[in-house]
Amino acid sequence: MIKEYHVHYMKDLSRVAEDPMGALFSLPAGLEDADIGYYMQTPESFRVRCGCRMGWNETGLYIWEYAMETELRMEEVGTCSRAWEDSCLEVFMAPNPDRPDYYFNYECTPAPYVYLSKGTGRNDRVEFRVLPEGMEPVSSILPGQGWSIRYRVTPDFMQKEFGAEPLKKGMVLHANFQKCGNKTVIPHWALWNPSEPLEDGRLDFHQPKYFGRLILD
């Protein structure tokens, strides 16, 4: 099954949602919540609530992710360190509708440190050792409750790196949202749009055929 998420146009980024998650993490009002709740090869004891909200305007795609995770691992340091081994929230996105297999993966820890790369699969990644201007994350940690990140995907990044056209209403992008922590107290892996393990049983988020559809409203 391929899920769809409606990315609403945002003029006002300052209004905070009144729902519990929105109020807790200062998430913006008027956006849908994408549930990162499809857990794979993860003990039943780890079923924390995780989600993503996204909006857009002419200045880019705005992304907020959160996890009600209380035992955080934050040992990786620096851009393009092994973020997925820490507590980690991720977005894998193909910003050019004509190239749904050509995507970036933005993986962020609570610290916040980011692993960012692009390519068409796991084995051909091109890493960004310096984050593109305007795409630095902001992290919020609420002790005993959870953590969140927010950042912007800039039009310049999408055009320069992927040949994407300017964002406009009706455009359909392809993406998945993930939560992982390979070396956390309880190793875990969860997605928004479900995927399947590889033939040998290994998990692999780098499968764009399982990306969901992002529809710009």
Side-chain angles (χ1 to χ4, degrees):
M1 181 183 72
I2 300 299
K3 292 184 177 180
E4 292 185 348
Y5 179 87
H6 288 268
V7 187
H8 297 319
Y9 184 85
M10 299 181 63
K11 287 186 177 180
D12 184 1
L13 300 175
S14 64
R15 292 192 307 120
V16 174
E18 296 179 355
D19 63 87
M21 290 299 100
L24 184 63
F25 290 117
S26 298
L27 303 175
L31 302 183
E32 295 184 21
D33 197 282
D35 178 35
I36 305 174
Y38 186 79
Y39 281 89
M40 302 177 69
Q41 300 183 14
T42 299
E44 290 291 337
S45 58
F46 191 95
R47 288 295 183 273
V48 304
R49 180 174 177 181
C50 311
C52 180
R53 299 184 186 188
M54 185 180 298
W56 75 280
N57 59 35
E58 290 76 11
T59 64
L61 289 165
Y62 290 82
I63 297 172
W64 293 261
E65 286 188 288
Y66 65 86
M68 305 301 290
E69 177 186 19
T70 57
E71 295 187 70
L72 305 182
R73 183 184 194 269
M74 293 185 289
E75 297 186 15
E76 296 298 316
V77 177
T79 301
C80 274
S81 57
R82 300 172 70 86
W84 58 89
E85 294 185 351
D86 278 354
S87 300
C88 189
L89 286 163
E90 306 178 349
V91 171
F92 285 38
M93 182 188 300
N96 187 336
D98 296 328
R99 292 290 308 278
D101 63 335
Y102 188 36
Y103 63 95
F104 68 84
N105 50 310
Y106 191 108
E107 309 180 22
C108 189
T109 73
Y113 289 112
V114 175
Y115 178 88
L116 176 63
S117 68
K118 66 174 184 176
T120 58
R122 173 177 291 279
N123 298 320
D124 71 341
R125 310 312 292 164
V126 176
E127 297 180 341
F128 292 84
R129 293 292 176 174
V130 177
L131 286 181
E133 184 177 358
M135 290 181 58
E136 300 82 5
V138 175
S139 172
S140 176
I141 300 175
L142 301 178
Q145 298 185 79
W147 64 285
S148 67
I149 56 170
R150 67 180 188 273
Y151 57 94
R152 175 171 61 112
V153 182
T154 65
D156 182 69
F157 173 75
M158 291 184 281
Q159 192 283 322
K160 179 180 177 181
E161 302 296 341
F162 297 91
E165 296 182 357
L167 299 175
K168 61 183 178 181
K169 183 176 181 179
M171 182 178 285
V172 178
L173 312 180
H174 300 83
N176 213 344
F177 315 131
Q178 293 99 206
K179 172 73 182 79
C180 68
N182 293 26
K183 291 187 176 181
T184 54
V185 174
I186 302 177
H188 55 274
W189 300 268
L191 309 93
W192 166 59
N193 198 79
S195 71
E196 297 292 335
L198 301 177
E199 291 185 359
D200 61 7
R202 290 181 297 119
L203 297 183
D204 191 357
F205 289 168
H206 290 269
Q207 299 189 78
K209 65 181 179 181
Y210 293 116
F211 287 3
R213 288 161 48 88
L214 307 181
I215 303 171
L216 272 57
D217 288 347

